[in-house]
Amino acid sequence: MERRDFLSATALGAGLLTLGGCHRPKEQQSTDTAEHYRGKKVTLKLATSWPAHFPIMGTGVDRFAKRCYELSGGTLEIKVFAKNILVPAMQVFDACSAAQIDAFHSGVYYWKGKNLAFSIFGGMPLGLTSEEMITWLKFGGGYELWRELYGKFNLYPLIGGTTGPQMGGWFKKPINSLADLKGLKMRIPGLGGEVMKRLGINPVLLPAGEIYTALERGTIDATEWVGPALDRMMGFDKAAHYYYTGWHEPGSILELTFNKARWEKLSPEHQAIITAAAEEMTGTMLQEFRYENAKAFASLPSYVKVMSFPTEVMNAAKKALKEVLAKQSQESTDFKRVLQSYEAFAKLNKPWDDISTKNFLEIRG
Ligand code: CA
C-alpha cells in the first residue's frame, strides 16, 4: 500500500474509534510513529548515484532491496531508482536531507563540500583497507561520529558496501619519476586528487560517460576508476596501457543513507531488517569485487603493463597527504575530530595487522 493510502486508511480507522467513543491520549493518536508502522506495509524510495543495475555497486543495492522484501515477508518494499530518475546523481544527499526521497546509495566523499570531515568516512589515501575501515566505523567510534555529523542534515548513514583496494589508474605514458607527473591531467577525485595536485598533477573531474573519450583523445593523460573488473568495462585498457597499482583508495566505503526522521519512524523490525540486509550487502559486495577483479586481472590484454609508482613518488605522496590532512584539520574542527578517531584506530590496529595479516601474506608468498 502506498504511504498516502494507508495514512488515509488509518485516518479513517481513527475516525471510527472516535465515533465509538474511544478516547486515547493525544500523543497515542498520532499515526506517524514507529509503533504505528509495526507490521504494516512500508514502501521507501531509494535513489542511487549509479546507472540502473550498474555492476556490483548497483546490483548490490538491487539485491539489498530484494533481501529487505524477503526478510520482512513482503512488508518492507524499497524501490530503487537509478541516477537522474528521481533526482540528479549528485543531489541525492540534499534530496534525502529534505525528505524528497527516503534513502540514497552513493559515495561519501562526494559530500565533502557539506563538511570536509565526510571524506574520511569514505576512506583515506594510503590508509585503512575495507576491512579495517568497517572495523573502525563499527567498533572504533567511526559510526558515532558519522551519525552525529550526518544527523545535522537529518540523515542516518549505514555502510552500503565497499570496493576493496582500488587500482592507481591508467596512464598513457610510464611514470619513472616525480618529474613525469608534472602537468599531467588526470581524472582523480577526493583526497587522492588533493595529494596528486601537490605532486604537480592537474586533477580534473569528468562525468563517467566522458572519461573514456577524454583519455582516448588525449584530453586527459590518465584516469583512475575502480579496479580491473569495472575499469575494463569502461574500456580504459584500450586508451592507456600503463596500469598502476593502488594507493589512493585502499578501502572506499559506500553509503546507504536514510532520512533520519523517516528512519526513526520505521518499526524496530524494519530497522533491524535494513541493518542486517545492509551488512549482508557490504560483505557480498566486497567478495564480489574480489572475485570479479581477480578474473578481470587474470585476463588483462598482454599489451597492458602493470606498474607500481616509483618509491620517490609514493614518498612524496605520503608527505603531501600529511600536509593536506594538517591543512584540512585547521580549516575544520569536525575534520580534526574525525581524523583523530580514525588515526587512533589506525595506530591501535597496525601492530596487530603487521604481525597477523601482513606477516602471513609475506610467509605465504
Ligand atoms: Ca576510484
Side-chain angles (χ1 to χ4, degrees):
M1 205 178 348
E2 289 294 330
R3 178 181 154 88
R4 198 183 49 212
D5 295 341
F6 82 69
L7 282 180
S8 54
T10 48
L12 182 66
L16 290 173
L17 280 175
T18 310
L19 281 174
C22 174
H23 298 286
R24 291 183 298 168
K26 199 174 180 198
E27 66 273 17
Q28 286 179 21
Q29 285 180 4
S30 168
T31 55
D32 204 22
T33 63
E35 186 54 40
H36 173 76
Y37 288 102
R38 176 171 263 161
K40 299 246 169 59
K41 172 79 184 275
V42 169
T43 303
L44 300 176
K45 286 180 186 164
L46 184 155
T48 79
S49 296
W50 332 117
H53 318 300
F54 190 71
I56 312 179
M57 299 189 307
T59 53
V61 190
D62 294 343
R63 204 184 285 130
F64 160 79
K66 186 165 173 278
R67 289 296 280 153
C68 287
Y69 192 81
E70 287 169 355
L71 291 166
S72 68
T75 64
L76 178 58
E77 187 178 8
I78 297 187
K79 290 190 172 169
V80 178
F81 295 88
K83 70 170 184 178
N84 307 339
I85 303 285
L86 289 183
V87 279
M90 292 303 125
Q91 282 175 32
V92 291
F93 183 102
D94 286 336
C96 192
S97 180
Q100 288 158 7
I101 51 174
D102 301 304
F104 66 93
H105 189 249
S106 192
V108 197
Y109 63 52
Y110 293 137
W111 322 121
K112 66 177 180 181
K114 306 280 178 194
N115 186 329
L116 275 179
F118 292 169
S119 62
I120 303 175
F121 302 120
M124 177 83 76
L126 297 159
L128 301 176
T129 63
S130 285
E131 193 201 344
E132 291 167 338
M133 278 297 293
I134 293 166
T135 309
W136 168 57
L137 288 166
K138 285 172 70 173
F139 296 98
Y143 251 147
E144 284 83 351
L145 287 164
W146 193 5
R147 287 182 177 154
E148 177 199 319
L149 297 178
Y150 261 39
K152 293 176 184 172
F153 293 87
N154 190 26
L155 294 172
Y156 178 85
L158 290 163
I159 301 168
T162 177
T163 62
Q166 298 198 13
M167 284 293 279
W170 300 85
F171 286 73
K172 289 176 91 79
K173 288 182 183 158
I175 303 301
N176 297 315
S177 68
L178 257 180
D180 288 341
L181 290 177
K182 294 271 182 289
L184 293 189
K185 276 192 190 162
M186 179 177 189
R187 183 266 173 196
I188 177 168
L191 286 167
E194 295 284 325
V195 169
M196 277 304 208
K197 204 163 147 186
R198 283 168 186 258
L199 303 193
I201 275 207
N202 204 344
V204 291
L205 290 178
L206 287 173
E210 292 174 21
I211 304 171
Y212 175 81
T213 311
L215 189 64
E216 205 258 329
R217 291 184 183 163
T219 317
I220 57 173
D221 305 289
T223 185
E224 73 83 52
W225 187 238
V226 184
L230 296 185
D231 290 8
R232 288 203 65 199
M233 253 184 48
M234 298 286 278
F236 294 146
D237 55 294
K238 295 185 191 76
H241 297 171
Y242 297 93
Y243 197 19
Y244 276 85
T245 56
W247 62 277
H248 70 299
E249 288 192 80
S252 287
I253 296 290
L254 302 176
E255 66 178 318
L256 180 71
T257 292
F258 288 79
N259 175 276
K260 189 165 179 274
R262 188 69 192 89
W263 172 264
E264 284 165 358
K265 284 171 194 157
L266 290 171
S267 68
E269 291 84 354
H270 282 169
Q271 288 179 347
I273 286 164
I274 289 171
T275 305
E279 293 239 0
E280 184 183 273
M281 168 170 68
T282 296
T284 303
M285 198 183 289
L286 183 59
Q287 294 141 20
E288 193 177 6
F289 262 119
R290 179 183 282 269
Y291 186 70
E292 293 302 325
N293 278 331
K295 273 202 308 186
F297 184 73
S299 63
L300 281 180
S302 57
Y303 57 75
V304 172
K305 304 238 180 328
V306 178
M307 321 269 281
S308 284
F309 289 108
T311 311
E312 178 193 28
V313 170
M314 284 297 98
N315 284 343
K318 286 175 190 172
K319 187 167 165 275
L321 177 66
K322 274 190 187 150
E323 291 165 10
V324 170
L325 298 181
K327 182 169 173 277
Q328 300 203 353
S329 291
Q330 270 189 345
E331 287 169 15
S332 157
T333 49
D334 285 340
F335 188 92
K336 192 175 173 184
R337 267 176 79 212
V338 177
L339 184 65
Q340 277 171 349
S341 167
Y342 173 99
E343 287 182 335
F345 170 74
K347 193 176 168 207
L348 174 74
N349 174 67
K350 190 175 184 302
W352 168 238
D353 192 65
D354 283 351
I355 213 68
S356 56
T357 315
K358 187 179 169 196
N359 192 46
F360 168 69
L361 289 177
E362 276 166 12
I363 292 168
R364 190 170 74 177

